[in-house]
């Protein structure tokens, strides 16, 4: 009896070990009698699940490290999945949900009811409502699932992991390593092609779909790399961050992506806007300009005055200077193709102003609303891309409520950047806030000409930056008086 008592597990670790041994024996017996070796994988899966529940952070960092190398693979029904990023997001979503339910992750209550979280929740709820009226239920459901496993890991996972400023630089560092490797890889391939303007899309393969995603990914990390370098506590770390910064900027400019080059200038200007407390004024001016422009173009069909000449609207693939010249002359094919899609989007909005056509349904629905006068020679849209303007995309797919909620989210975030930046007296906190804020500015600027929130390499840091701002707001509220005095 004493012998059996000694064999009985005495603590939790022993109980887990005995359970694993029992599972191993049972799966072995079942595999033997059923002649199905697949049962032998059951203990390994169970062990992996247990490890994830104990500490899932390594999956989060693995996701960030491999994110730059993620590739899109087609699925049946015209859908696609980014691998390995989206499977890892799904695993992380489950881990975060289980950890929160078990009480292992202490995300403060004020973050669960933070205005940014509330707006994101309302936007997701409206997406569900819009999906009920979707012209393609399958695409809209895939959108809802993808949005859920973006918000779960990148918002709530980040809130759980980021406890202090150095955690911010760590997570950014994991992503930066992957991005820098892909940039160096691209530069090597691009150099063999004489750094040609017309060869950049070939050089970035297979890790990026097009040069816009490549350049945007590099650009959004520039603020983080700069402020991480300034915050580094050792000379070695500082120079590593500045080396990464140099590579990121070089990647942007050698991509020949006009929007990404300009976004860095806009970020620099917005730094001044934040410092001078002009964010609200800039947002009001932007709203007035957008409404005025919309009123002008829709009045008496003024937009028809800007219909392109099909024969003159071309792509100057061999000469970047001519490419820039064609842009302001409204003879650049990519620019005028955007106008072709924007006109179609405007007509879609007029047709279904409240619910839109449904999430992720712009293509091919927009083709029923196009105006032939704006057609270009790339309007057959082999890439199956959408509006090239995320704000119009929200209006066309999710109606006015979806658009208002998205604009409210980014406006609230930018106002928050200014508010908590000036409230803080700790320089490290200020640098974190400015890095996240300017990253958002760069992404938002790109959204004027592209739809990138659902791109894994970019949408991830859109949500991560929002989470970092929420965490930084807590640090700043808790700043000790002595910290403020010595800042």
């Amino acid at each position: 009896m004493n012998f059996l008592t000694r064999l009985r597990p005495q603590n939790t670790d022993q109980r887990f070990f005995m359970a694993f041994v029992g599972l191993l024996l049972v799966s072995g017996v079942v595999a033997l009698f059923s002649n199905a070796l697949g049962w032998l994988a059951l203990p390994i899966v169970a062990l992996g699940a247990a490890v994830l529940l104990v500490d899932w952070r390594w999956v989060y960092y693995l996701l960030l490290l491999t994110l730059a190398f993620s590739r899109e693979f087609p699925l049946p029904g015209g859908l696609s999945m980014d691998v390995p990023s989206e499977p890892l997001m799904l695993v992380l979503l489950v881990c975060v949900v289980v950890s929160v339910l078990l009480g292992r992750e202490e995300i403060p209550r004020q973050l669960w009811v933070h205005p940014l979280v509330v707006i994101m929740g309302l936007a997701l709820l409206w997406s569900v409502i819009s999906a009920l009226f979707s012209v393609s239920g399958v695409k809209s459901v895939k959108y809802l699932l993808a949005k859920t496993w973006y918000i779960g890991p990148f918002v709530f996972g980040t809130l759980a992991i980021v406890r202090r400023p150095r955690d911010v630089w760590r997570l950014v560092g994991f992503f930066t390593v992957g991005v820098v490797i892909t940039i160096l890889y691209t530069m090597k391939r691009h150099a063999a092609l004489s750094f040609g303007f017309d060869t950049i899309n070939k050089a970035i393969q297979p890790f990026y779909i097009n040069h816009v995603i490549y350049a945007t990914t590099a650009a959004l990390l520039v603020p983080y790399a700069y402020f991480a370098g300034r915050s580094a506590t050792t000379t070695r770390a500082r120079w590593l961050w500045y080396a990464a910064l140099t590579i990121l900027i070089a990647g942007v400019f050698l991509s020949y992506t006009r929007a990404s080059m300009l976004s860095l200038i806009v970020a620099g200007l917005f730094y001044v806007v934040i410092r001078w407390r002009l964010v609200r004024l800039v947002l009001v001016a932007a709203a007035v300009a957008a409404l005025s422009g919309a009123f002008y173009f829709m009045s008496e069909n003024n937009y028809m005055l800007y219909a392109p000449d099909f024969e003159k609207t071309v792509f100057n693939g061999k000469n970047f200077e001519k490419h820039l010249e064609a842009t302001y002359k409204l003879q650049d094919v990519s620019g005028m193709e955007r106008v072709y899609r924007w006109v179609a989007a405007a007509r879609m909005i007029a047709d279904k102003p409240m619910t839109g056509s449904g999430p992720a349904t712009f293509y091919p629905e927009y083709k029923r609303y196009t105006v032939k006068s704006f057609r270009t020679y790339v309007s057959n849209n082999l890439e199956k891309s959408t509006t090239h303007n995320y704000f119009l995309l929200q209006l066309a797919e999710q109606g006015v409520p979806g658009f208002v909620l998205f604009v409210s989210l980014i406006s609230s975030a930018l106002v928050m950047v200014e508010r908590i930046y000036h409230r803080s007296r700790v320089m490290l906190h200020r640098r974190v806030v400015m890095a996240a804020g300017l990253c958002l500015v760069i992404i938002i600027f790109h959204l004027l000409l592209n739809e990138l929130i659902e791109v894994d390499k970019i949408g991830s840091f859109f949500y991560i930056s929002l989470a970092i701002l929420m965490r930084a707001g807590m640090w700043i509220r808790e700043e000790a008086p002595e910290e403020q005095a010595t800042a």
Side-chain angles (χ1 to χ4, degrees):
M1 188 71 176
N2 291 335
F3 175 73
L4 293 177
T5 302
R6 287 196 299 270
L7 288 179
R8 183 181 300 170
Q10 301 298 316
N11 53 49
T12 303
D13 291 340
Q14 290 181 4
R15 292 188 188 98
F16 274 119
F17 177 74
M18 293 301 294
F20 177 72
V21 172
L23 183 61
L24 190 63
L25 291 173
V26 170
S27 61
V29 171
V30 174
L32 180 64
F33 284 97
S34 65
N35 198 28
L37 296 179
W39 283 98
L40 296 176
L42 183 59
I44 300 174
V45 172
L47 181 62
V51 170
L52 283 176
L53 291 177
V54 172
D55 189 358
W56 49 267
R57 286 167 175 78
W58 66 271
V59 183
Y60 182 92
Y61 290 119
L62 177 64
L63 170 58
L64 291 178
L65 185 63
T66 59
L67 191 57
F69 307 101
S70 185
R71 297 177 61 187
E72 184 179 78
F73 287 90
L75 296 175
L79 304 177
S80 62
M81 173 172 281
D82 297 310
V83 179
S85 61
E86 288 195 291
L88 286 174
M89 288 181 212
L90 184 56
V91 171
L92 269 175
L93 176 62
V94 174
C95 291
V96 171
V97 170
V98 173
S99 296
V100 169
L101 291 177
L102 294 177
R104 293 180 177 175
E105 300 302 334
E106 297 182 2
I107 300 177
R109 181 182 178 278
Q110 56 262 46
L111 292 180
W112 286 105
V113 295
H114 194 283
L116 297 184
V117 172
V118 172
I119 296 173
M120 280 187 277
L122 291 174
L124 186 59
L125 177 61
W126 180 256
S127 296
V128 173
I129 296 173
S130 176
L132 297 176
F133 301 90
S134 174
V135 298
S136 176
V138 174
K139 289 184 177 180
S140 294
V141 169
K142 166 61 168 63
Y143 171 92
L144 294 173
L145 293 173
K147 187 64 72 173
T148 302
W149 64 58
Y150 267 76
I151 293 176
F154 294 126
V155 175
F156 297 105
T158 303
L159 288 175
I161 284 177
V162 174
R163 304 293 179 87
R164 47 194 178 274
R166 68 182 183 185
D167 294 333
V168 174
W169 311 133
R170 181 185 295 115
L171 74 86
V172 172
F174 273 91
F175 185 48
T176 302
V177 168
V179 172
V180 166
I181 290 173
T182 61
I183 291 175
L184 293 175
Y185 166 85
T186 297
M187 285 182 176
K188 181 180 178 181
R189 286 167 53 89
H190 204 190
L193 300 170
S194 303
F195 288 108
F197 170 46
D198 58 334
T199 58
I200 181 60
N201 277 325
K202 181 179 180 180
I204 61 175
Q205 300 300 324
F207 303 119
Y208 299 89
I209 297 175
N210 56 53
H211 69 101
V212 174
I213 294 175
Y214 168 74
T216 307
T217 303
L220 68 85
L221 283 173
V222 167
Y224 279 113
Y226 173 73
F227 287 105
R230 294 193 62 184
S231 303
T233 55
T234 65
T235 302
R236 179 173 176 271
R238 182 176 299 109
W239 282 109
L240 282 174
W241 277 114
Y242 286 154
L245 176 64
T246 303
I247 294 170
L248 292 168
I249 294 175
V252 171
F253 280 89
L254 289 175
S255 72
Y256 300 104
T257 307
R258 297 159 294 180
S260 298
M261 296 177 189
L262 190 56
S263 73
L264 297 181
I265 299 173
V266 170
L269 294 174
F270 212 86
Y271 173 83
V272 177
V273 168
I274 294 170
R275 292 292 301 269
W276 289 1
R277 303 174 187 262
L278 298 174
V279 170
R280 290 174 179 82
L281 180 61
V282 169
L283 291 176
V284 170
V288 171
L291 291 172
S292 300
F295 178 78
Y296 166 75
F297 285 113
M298 299 309 295
S299 296
E300 300 180 358
N301 291 331
N302 282 333
Y303 71 92
M304 292 298 297
L305 299 175
Y306 298 88
D309 186 329
F310 186 89
E311 299 298 329
K312 293 182 179 180
T313 306
V314 295
F315 174 60
N316 295 280
K318 299 292 183 180
N319 191 313
F320 187 61
E321 291 182 2
K322 288 186 177 181
H323 184 56
L324 293 176
E325 181 182 348
T327 301
Y328 68 78
K329 287 184 176 181
L330 302 181
Q331 294 177 350
D332 169 51
V333 69
S334 64
M336 298 317 296
E337 178 61 21
R338 283 179 167 84
V339 176
Y340 177 70
R341 312 265 183 93
W342 295 348
V343 171
R347 301 180 74 192
M348 289 176 68
I349 296 163
D351 188 33
K352 297 180 179 180
M354 288 304 296
T355 61
S357 61
T361 60
F362 185 83
Y363 180 93
E365 182 69 8
Y366 81 96
K367 293 188 176 183
R368 299 197 299 115
Y369 296 88
T370 56
V371 176
K372 290 184 178 180
S373 300
F374 287 85
R375 185 175 177 82
T376 68
Y377 74 87
V378 295
S379 293
N380 52 353
N381 193 7
L382 297 178
E383 290 184 349
K384 299 182 180 179
S385 55
T386 59
T387 54
H388 290 298
N389 182 299
Y390 196 77
F391 300 92
L392 278 176
L393 183 68
Q394 291 291 296
L395 276 166
E397 291 187 345
Q398 300 187 41
V400 173
F403 168 79
V404 170
L405 286 167
F406 180 73
V407 171
S408 299
L409 177 64
I410 61 175
S411 299
S412 300
L414 294 177
V415 170
M416 179 184 175
V417 171
E418 179 186 277
R419 186 180 70 253
I420 64 177
Y421 176 84
H422 288 285
R423 180 180 296 172
S424 177
R425 293 296 178 269
V426 178
M427 186 56 67
L428 184 56
H429 292 168
R430 284 189 160 199
R431 286 170 179 164
V432 169
V433 170
M434 192 63 81
L438 295 183
C439 174
L440 283 175
V441 168
I442 288 171
I443 294 173
I444 292 166
F445 180 80
H446 280 89
L447 296 183
L448 295 170
L449 297 170
N450 299 279
E451 56 289 326
L452 298 170
I453 298 296
E454 279 70 52
V455 176
D456 57 350
K457 297 175 177 66
I458 299 163
S460 55
F461 263 76
F462 177 80
Y463 290 111
I464 285 173
S465 296
L466 292 176
I468 289 172
L469 288 176
M470 288 187 273
R471 266 297 184 187
M474 284 194 61
W475 301 335
I476 291 167
R477 282 195 297 272
E478 296 167 357
E479 286 178 3
E482 59 269 19
E483 287 182 303
Q484 297 181 16
T486 58

